[in-house]
Amino acid sequence: MNTASIPTPPLSQIDMQSNVAERVRICMEQANTQLQSNLAMPKIRFNQRGRIAGCARLQSNELRFNQVLLADNYTTFINEVVPHEVAHLVAFNLYGRVKPHGKEWQGIMQQIFGLTGHTYHKMDVTKVSGKRFPYRCACGEVQLSIRRHNKVKRRQQQYICRRCHNVLICAETKSA
């Protein structure tokens, strides 16, 4: 029987999480072998929210991953996001507090994982993006998150356009 025509079933959420945990273990093993060290396995959680794919909690030796983005970008998670976050923990253990995506982190990404480190992912975040609010400046319209919008409304914060350096003004129209 030709198995090439049989489609593989999609991975369950538990399988994806299990594979991420295994990839973390492999990355940590790779770092320990190349650095001749004994860095502890981090705690792994799948409770990251918003548009962030993953987060390294340095002091608590914890990695957090976004389940929604994992489900939509499985291969990118395995190949890029996991090594990216592990590299943060390795950099912290080797060098202490350094710039999050500085030369130490870049070196770990390149030398241990053979990857070019990128600060931001390019995943579609439509599913995880919260409501956005239009603001105006001399350049045109800018979208702010609900958190920033609420800070403006409570008069706790003003935001400045990065291009024209004018204060952003809420363009929201009042509805009856």
Side-chain angles (χ1 to χ4, degrees):
M1 181 167 109
N2 182 1
T3 59
S5 63
I6 299 172
T8 57
L11 291 172
S12 71
Q13 191 172 22
I14 291 170
D15 288 338
M16 284 188 277
Q17 290 179 1
S18 178
N19 291 348
V20 166
E22 177 62 12
R23 180 70 168 131
V24 168
R25 187 193 65 73
I26 290 167
C27 287
M28 290 300 294
E29 213 171 74
Q30 201 173 340
N32 280 327
T33 299
Q34 288 190 30
L35 299 169
Q36 297 179 349
S37 61
N38 191 23
L39 302 174
M41 271 297 291
K43 199 178 308 173
I44 301 167
R45 297 183 188 269
F46 293 89
N47 60 352
Q48 184 64 50
R49 293 172 50 181
R51 298 181 296 169
I52 297 170
C55 174
R57 299 283 175 113
L58 305 176
Q59 285 81 11
S60 59
N61 195 36
E62 178 182 331
L63 297 176
R64 294 172 63 181
F65 297 103
N66 186 317
Q67 291 188 114
V68 176
L69 292 178
L70 169 60
D72 290 347
N73 305 277
Y74 175 75
T75 304
T76 302
F77 256 80
I78 295 297
N79 295 334
E80 298 172 27
V81 175
V82 171
H84 176 115
E85 299 308 333
V86 169
H88 284 299
L89 292 179
V90 173
F92 179 72
N93 280 284
L94 289 180
Y95 307 108
R97 280 217 166 270
V98 293
K99 286 185 178 180
H101 300 103
K103 63 182 180 183
E104 298 87 357
W105 178 84
Q106 291 280 342
I108 291 164
M109 286 293 288
Q110 182 63 53
Q111 293 163 9
I112 295 175
F113 302 121
L115 298 170
T116 302
H118 299 286
T119 306
Y120 299 106
H121 64 75
K122 294 180 174 108
M123 298 176 208
D124 179 5
V125 294
T126 310
K127 284 185 183 177
V128 292
S129 290
K131 186 171 181 198
R132 310 294 279 175
F133 294 85
Y135 277 72
R136 282 191 300 250
C137 64
C139 299
E141 193 172 285
V142 177
Q143 298 289 318
L144 291 186
S145 68
I146 191 164
R147 178 178 286 170
R148 289 186 175 197
H149 173 71
N150 287 338
K151 284 184 177 185
V152 171
K153 288 298 181 192
R154 289 190 302 259
R155 298 181 184 188
Q156 294 174 328
Q157 185 75 47
Q158 281 188 329
Y159 293 97
I160 309 293
C161 175
R162 292 179 181 167
R163 286 173 275 159
C164 68
H165 306 290
N166 288 328
V167 174
L168 296 175
I169 306 297
C170 185
E172 190 177 61
T173 57
K174 301 281 184 209
S175 58

